[in-house]
Amino acid sequence: MKNKRIAILGAGGLGVCAALELAQRGYQVDLFEKHSEPIRKASFVNEGKIHLGFIYALDKDLFTARQMLVGAVHFISNLKRWISIQPEELISTPFNYCNHKGSLADAEELALHYQKCSQIFDEVSKRFGKKYLDLEDKIFSRKLSKSEMEDIVNPEFMEDVFITNEYSVEPRRIASLLREALYQEPKIELHLNSAVQKVERIGTNFRVHYSQSDQVFREDYDEVVNCTWNNLLQIDQTMGIEPLYNWSFRYKFGNKVLVPFQAEDFPSCTMVQGPFGDCVNFKDRGGFFSWYPIGRTGWSEGKNPPEWDKMYSEEERFDIFQRSFEELKQRVPALKGLQFPNEKVDPVGGVIFALGNTDVDNSSSKLHTRHEVGVRSFDGYHSVNTGKYTLIPLLALQVANRIDGKDETNEKTTGIHYHRHLQ
């Protein structure tokens, strides 16, 4: 029924994409966001990697790799439902996977995993008739020779390097395009500075309680989609819904340098397997730099994590960036030659929510998987664990299909999913 009242909680990447899809299908949507602007938090500050499963080499069942690959082939084609986007204008340079000394996996294990990811990609790409980022019809990895490796990293810290054709997309530009589409969509009413406190079932409907400027309001809806990130568990709890098992919230700095670079200025690198870091060259859209041992500054196992964004002064944030960047420069020598003014550094942090409560330095940590994510539906109330940025456009269609009453097993529109949590 297109006259359903739909509430979406959280105007991050997933909430906005789901709202745009539902509006295109003729629904009126109320979209709630506790901050003053949509898509300004996790979907804005992350590295934007569109995963091919490579990073999840410790998930031996390959469930996470497959989930990411399905999300990856749908990422751009689904985004094109809502915005005009040219992927070649947004992608980073291709990633080098750098096996750090002290890694939780050796080169042989990584090579086998990467090969399996390529095989799964071929299967997934054929099944859906889609390319990776609408650009690549094959994915690959190749282990570099020692001499090739030394052109990229400092061998004092690295065991091996694999070159791949995995990319990041610049998330800030995508956020900007999605905001423009949101503001132009008359079927979406955006409620900013609106903090949802709870949801309760009223007969066959749902009542959303939210606050604005110290006043509490209530609105009734036919269906509710909880797309919040920091507040997902807290709001679910008001509906009597518990997480599948132990969880954690982490706060990690994803520092952005907002100056243009040349592709040859420095390589995009992901350091594996464990608590290491990344540097991403977005060319004329800047660079992203993260070093986990310094940048992961917060950990919480509560259902409502601390307001980490408010806990750091600008001086503290810049200190975290500087110390992280020094560690990265030791490992990727090309970074030593970069020149940029301090005022062009945006040392922002973001919250990571995941099932699992042991950190990534533990090989058995559930943080090395992301396949138990997606939509859990409870007779009109839908709770969504996004999992990774890669999955946002795919999950947005899955949310819309559930509300639309379409058969969610239709893989041509929703992709593969392994866990249905229905009550």
Side-chain angles (χ1 to χ4, degrees):
M1 296 184 301
K2 303 302 183 185
N3 59 351
K4 283 182 181 178
R5 291 201 76 199
I6 309 297
I8 294 181
L9 317 182
L14 177 60
V16 170
C17 289
L20 288 168
E21 179 64 22
L22 285 166
Q24 282 190 7
R25 298 186 188 194
Y27 291 96
Q28 294 286 335
V29 178
D30 280 10
L31 179 59
F32 293 87
E33 172 55 49
K34 72 176 182 179
H35 297 106
S36 59
E37 191 174 12
I39 322 182
R40 275 291 179 184
K41 296 299 177 180
S43 295
F44 182 77
V45 303
N46 74 92
E47 68 175 320
K49 181 182 280 189
I50 308 306
H51 286 277
L52 293 172
F54 294 149
I55 196 70
Y56 294 104
L58 298 181
D59 183 358
K60 303 302 183 184
D61 293 324
L62 296 168
F63 290 157
T64 305
R66 185 176 292 274
Q67 187 84 300
M68 292 300 144
L69 284 160
V70 173
V73 300
H74 285 84
F75 189 86
I76 290 294
S77 62
N78 281 10
L79 277 179
K80 286 179 177 178
R81 299 171 70 92
W82 316 303
I83 58 177
S84 176
I85 183 171
Q86 300 300 321
E88 57 271 18
E89 298 175 2
L90 299 174
I91 60 173
S92 68
T93 57
F95 275 96
N96 299 279
Y97 269 70
C98 309
N99 199 28
H100 201 283
K101 290 187 175 178
S103 169
L104 299 173
D106 61 29
E108 185 177 344
E109 291 172 303
L110 293 178
L112 179 60
H113 176 77
Y114 301 160
Q115 180 184 6
K116 289 179 179 177
C117 289
S118 296
Q119 292 168 351
I120 295 171
F121 174 82
D122 290 343
E123 171 197 331
V124 167
S125 177
K126 181 179 179 180
R127 177 176 299 159
F128 298 111
K130 295 179 183 293
K131 299 180 180 181
Y132 174 53
L133 297 175
D134 279 8
L135 297 173
E136 306 278 2
D137 57 13
K138 293 286 182 182
I139 67 169
F140 69 85
S141 61
R142 180 176 68 85
K143 182 180 171 182
L144 300 184
S145 68
K146 292 300 181 183
S147 60
E148 289 175 313
M149 167 182 149
E150 290 175 7
D151 289 337
I152 295 172
V153 297
N154 181 352
E156 178 184 347
F157 294 93
M158 303 297 172
E159 299 282 4
D160 299 281
V161 173
F162 295 80
I163 188 170
T164 77
N165 61 340
E166 182 179 77
Y167 300 95
S168 283
V169 295
E170 210 293 300
R172 298 182 180 213
R173 178 55 181 158
I174 290 176
S176 176
L177 293 170
L178 287 170
R179 276 190 223 109
E180 291 174 16
L182 174 65
Y183 295 147
Q184 294 170 10
E185 177 50 70
K187 290 186 175 66
I188 301 173
E189 184 171 349
L190 179 60
H191 301 264
L192 296 173
N193 301 302
S194 300
V196 175
Q197 298 172 335
K198 69 176 182 177
V199 180
E200 60 180 333
R201 192 181 294 274
I202 306 293
T204 59
N205 294 337
F206 300 90
R207 183 162 294 163
V208 174
H209 300 248
Y210 64 99
S211 60
Q212 287 180 342
S213 304
D214 298 324
Q215 288 186 285
V216 176
F217 301 89
R218 301 169 184 83
E219 291 287 342
D220 289 353
Y221 297 92
D222 295 286
E223 299 201 37
V224 173
V225 186
N226 184 2
C227 293
T228 61
W229 192 232
N230 302 25
N231 302 113
L232 180 74
L233 302 185
Q234 180 189 26
I235 295 171
D236 278 358
Q237 189 175 40
T238 68
M239 281 287 297
I241 297 167
E242 297 294 331
L244 298 175
Y245 48 81
N246 293 334
W247 67 91
S248 58
F249 290 93
R250 290 170 286 162
Y251 192 72
K252 191 181 85 166
F253 278 77
N255 309 285
K256 190 75 184 288
V257 175
L258 302 168
V259 299
F261 294 110
Q262 299 297 314
E264 60 271 17
D265 284 346
F266 68 95
S268 294
C269 294
T270 290
M271 297 164 215
V272 296
Q273 193 74 46
F276 303 115
D278 305 86
C279 56
V280 187
N281 186 341
F282 286 112
K283 297 169 283 191
D284 60 345
R285 296 188 183 274
F288 175 97
F289 306 96
S290 175
W291 181 247
Y292 193 87
I294 293 172
R296 202 281 282 157
T297 60
W299 179 282
S300 172
E301 295 173 34
K303 288 187 176 174
N304 188 20
E307 291 285 343
W308 282 307
D309 277 334
K310 300 177 181 178
M311 293 172 59
Y312 301 91
S313 67
E314 286 303 309
E315 292 77 13
E316 290 170 322
R317 289 179 176 278
F318 194 74
D319 175 68
I320 290 167
F321 164 73
Q322 287 184 311
R323 290 189 290 119
S324 297
F325 196 63
E326 287 301 316
E327 293 290 340
L328 289 169
K329 285 197 295 186
Q330 292 183 55
R331 291 158 173 83
V332 184
L335 298 180
K336 296 177 181 178
L338 298 187
Q339 301 291 325
F340 47 84
N342 290 348
E343 57 268 22
K344 291 295 185 179
V345 176
D346 188 11
V348 293
V351 174
I352 307 170
F353 165 66
L355 297 175
N357 63 349
T358 54
D359 211 346
V360 293
D361 56 351
N362 184 331
S363 61
S364 62
S365 171
K366 293 292 288 185
L367 300 186
H368 294 298
T369 70
R370 281 295 194 285
H371 62 274
E372 292 176 304
V373 298
V375 189
R376 300 171 68 197
S377 294
F378 303 86
D379 193 21
Y381 178 87
H382 313 277
S383 173
V384 192
N385 175 359
T386 311
K388 297 296 285 185
Y389 186 76
T390 302
L391 301 178
I392 283 176
L394 180 69
L395 290 175
L397 254 69
Q398 186 170 328
V399 166
N401 283 348
R402 290 211 179 175
I403 289 174
D404 226 6
K406 291 188 175 180
D407 179 6
E408 67 179 62
T409 62
N410 181 355
E411 293 182 355
K412 286 296 182 184
T413 58
T414 63
I416 298 169
H417 45 277
Y418 300 93
H419 300 275
R420 291 185 65 195
H421 303 286
L422 304 179
Q423 178 172 296

